[in-house]
Amino acid sequence: MLGDEVLTPDSSRFWPLDTYEPGRAQDSYDKQFVRDYLEQIRWPKSPPAPPLPAEIAARTGEKYRDAFRALTGREL
């Protein structure tokens, strides 16, 4: 059985080489901005989860499309 976190772009350990700069927080393919949003609205981390605004959901999709393009050189 393979876990759903294997080889997903949802990791801050994968950084785009073209924007990498030592000594600073790196651009990544993770969803830290979702975590930041949930912290900003002070969600108590218990069900039910709040709905995400369209902008946050769209940025999540774009992160996955960015990773796809970086890995395949193709558009979805």
Side-chain angles (χ1 to χ4, degrees):
M1 179 182 287
L2 200 57
D4 75 334
E5 291 296 322
V6 175
L7 299 178
T8 67
D10 187 26
S11 174
S12 58
R13 291 180 293 277
F14 297 102
W15 303 329
L17 181 59
D18 60 337
T19 61
Y20 175 80
E21 291 180 29
R24 69 164 182 88
Q26 303 304 317
D27 297 330
S28 68
Y29 296 106
D30 71 357
K31 298 184 303 256
Q32 183 61 44
F33 62 90
V34 173
R35 293 179 201 96
D36 293 344
Y37 167 76
L38 294 172
E39 290 291 326
Q40 175 189 347
I41 65 166
R42 301 185 193 284
W43 176 52
K45 300 179 183 173
S46 59
L52 293 177
E55 176 188 332
I56 300 295
R59 286 180 63 194
T60 301
E62 187 58 34
K63 288 284 188 176
Y64 284 99
R65 286 187 292 279
D66 288 346
F68 180 85
R69 281 189 291 271
L71 291 170
T72 68
R74 298 185 339 215
E75 296 289 329
L76 283 175

